[in-house]
Amino acid sequence: FEFWMDLLLYIKNTKDFEFDNNLSFHFTGGEPSLYFYDMLEGIITLRALSRLKGISTRFGMITNLSDPDNLLVLLDNKFMHPEEISISWDYNGDYKDQTNITYFSELVDNYGGIYKPRYYDICVKMAVTKRTIPQLYEAYKYLRFLNFTNIGYYFVNGTHDYDDEEVREEFRNQLQKIKEFCDIQKPYILRNYNDFLYNQSIPFCNKLGELLYIDTEGGIWPCAFLSDDSKVHGINNIEEYKIGDIFNGINKYRSHIVEPTSLDWVNRFCPACSIECKEKIRIMKQIELDVFSKK
């Protein structure tokens, strides 16, 4: 993305949207940390909104920690806020292969003689795949050992891993171990378990209507999954969901996205999910329901 000044002027001048007084910007990819100076240019440019519109701005990114040094630079120099960072972690059980494992301790350790947590509230999300499921419990315990307080897992759209009965049973086994661990060490740090216990009334995605996704060409979409950048959406004509662009404003004929809020746990899905995707993930969500609902 290179249209930082255009984006700044659009947010400053547009009447298309009402922007909140607290505006967060998340860099996504690909892997955004590989474009360190592009992000820095964007942050420095968009920070001007605080002065031009009198609103606060916070910055973060979704990263796989492939370049953790850049992340630490951004955090240590207050360019990004830890609560706006989300790390996607695909732990496969091999510590030697997971070179970024050492950086988790750097994120939470203040390097002082007396332990003082640094960025323990960064969100760490673990992918649920055939490769990672057998290590979900081990990974969760490791992150809790480091005192991370914002841990979750996420299902992968478009995968065939969930067709395998052995994979599903191992997922059940891992969730049972995690639940027992959570119940001992309350409060519940696993986001998924916490949502099940306290937030079942909220929709699968609570960001629709509060989020804009800007693609590299300046196009405006309801979110990344409801855009033509997504390779896993189940929508025949995705262009119908394009809201507009930062150069010309919104398209008044755009589709309006509303997610039902009254669905039960196993039937809450991203609106961009294909029918096939929903069927696969519904099986996994039923396992969640079976495990998490046990006393």
Side-chain angles (χ1 to χ4, degrees):
F1 189 79
E2 58 188 37
F3 308 109
W4 297 116
M5 187 57 68
D6 298 279
L7 180 57
L8 171 72
L9 293 174
Y10 177 76
I11 296 175
K12 173 183 177 292
N13 298 323
T14 185
K15 299 293 191 292
D16 293 339
F17 300 99
E18 179 180 343
F19 289 99
D20 195 85
N21 289 329
N22 302 296
L23 198 56
S24 296
F25 294 89
H26 293 170
F27 297 89
T28 68
E31 176 47 46
S33 67
L34 300 179
Y35 302 89
F36 175 80
Y37 291 103
D38 290 321
M39 284 197 296
L40 203 56
E41 180 184 359
I43 292 169
I44 291 171
T45 303
L46 295 171
R47 268 182 169 179
L49 287 166
S50 299
R51 174 172 49 84
L52 295 172
K53 280 186 75 75
I55 60 177
S56 70
T57 54
R58 300 209 307 186
F59 299 86
M61 67 172 162
I62 300 173
T63 174
N64 61 20
L65 213 60
S66 61
D67 198 336
D69 289 324
N70 281 344
L71 174 60
L72 286 166
V73 168
L74 291 167
L75 285 166
D76 289 343
N77 290 280
K78 312 292 186 196
F79 285 112
M80 285 191 175
H81 195 282
E83 290 183 0
E84 304 292 338
I85 303 288
S86 178
I87 298 173
S88 298
W89 187 36
D90 298 350
Y91 177 54
N92 64 4
D94 186 350
Y95 282 94
K96 293 180 181 178
D97 184 47
Q98 296 284 327
T99 54
N100 61 19
I101 256 186
T102 57
Y103 285 94
F104 279 120
S105 58
E106 290 187 31
L107 283 169
V108 294
D109 193 347
N110 206 28
Y111 302 111
I114 301 175
Y115 178 76
K116 180 181 178 182
R118 290 173 91 192
Y119 307 125
Y120 58 90
D121 49 356
I122 285 177
C123 177
V124 183
K125 290 185 176 181
M126 303 176 288
V128 175
T129 68
K130 182 176 183 178
R131 185 166 172 259
T132 62
I133 284 174
Q135 284 79 39
L136 281 180
Y137 174 57
E138 179 183 340
Y140 178 71
K141 277 207 311 180
Y142 172 71
L143 293 170
R144 286 300 299 128
F145 170 75
L146 292 176
N147 287 312
F148 279 97
T149 61
N150 195 354
I151 306 168
Y153 59 79
Y154 62 95
F155 298 117
V156 178
N157 292 349
T159 183
H160 295 287
D161 290 357
Y162 307 152
D163 295 331
D164 189 327
E165 185 175 351
E166 290 185 5
V167 169
R168 298 197 298 267
E169 283 308 304
E170 182 57 32
F171 180 58
R172 182 187 302 274
N173 178 50
Q174 293 292 315
L175 283 195
Q176 287 171 339
K177 291 181 179 180
I178 290 174
K179 178 183 179 295
E180 291 170 7
F181 188 69
C182 285
D183 287 343
I184 291 171
Q185 59 140 23
K186 299 173 185 176
Y188 306 105
I189 304 299
L190 185 72
R191 293 165 62 106
N192 309 72
Y193 191 23
N194 199 62
D195 284 346
F196 176 83
L197 291 173
Y198 304 114
N199 300 320
Q200 286 198 42
S201 61
I202 66 171
F204 178 83
C205 176
N206 59 359
K207 296 180 180 179
L208 284 177
E210 298 182 7
L211 174 78
L212 294 178
Y213 175 69
I214 312 296
D215 65 26
T216 52
E217 303 300 321
I220 305 174
W221 304 82
C223 77
F225 282 113
L226 288 164
S227 77
D228 61 5
D229 280 351
S230 172
K231 307 305 178 189
V232 295
H233 65 74
I235 299 169
N236 291 328
N237 186 8
I238 195 67
E239 284 293 323
E240 291 181 357
Y241 291 87
K242 186 172 184 179
I243 296 173
D245 62 66
I246 61 174
F247 311 106
N248 303 297
I250 64 168
N251 173 6
K252 63 180 179 179
Y253 301 109
R254 70 189 189 281
S255 294
H256 183 58
I257 311 297
V258 177
E259 185 183 5
T261 58
S262 59
L263 298 176
D264 58 38
W265 181 261
V266 295
N267 290 308
R268 288 162 49 194
F269 294 98
C270 169
C273 244
S274 66
I275 294 175
E276 181 185 18
C277 165
K278 289 178 181 178
E279 289 305 314
K280 294 176 186 294
I281 294 179
R282 184 177 283 111
I283 296 172
M284 304 297 277
K285 289 177 75 65
Q286 182 62 53
I287 294 173
E288 286 182 310
L289 181 66
D290 295 342
V291 173
F292 290 161
S293 61
K294 289 180 180 177
K295 298 283 186 173

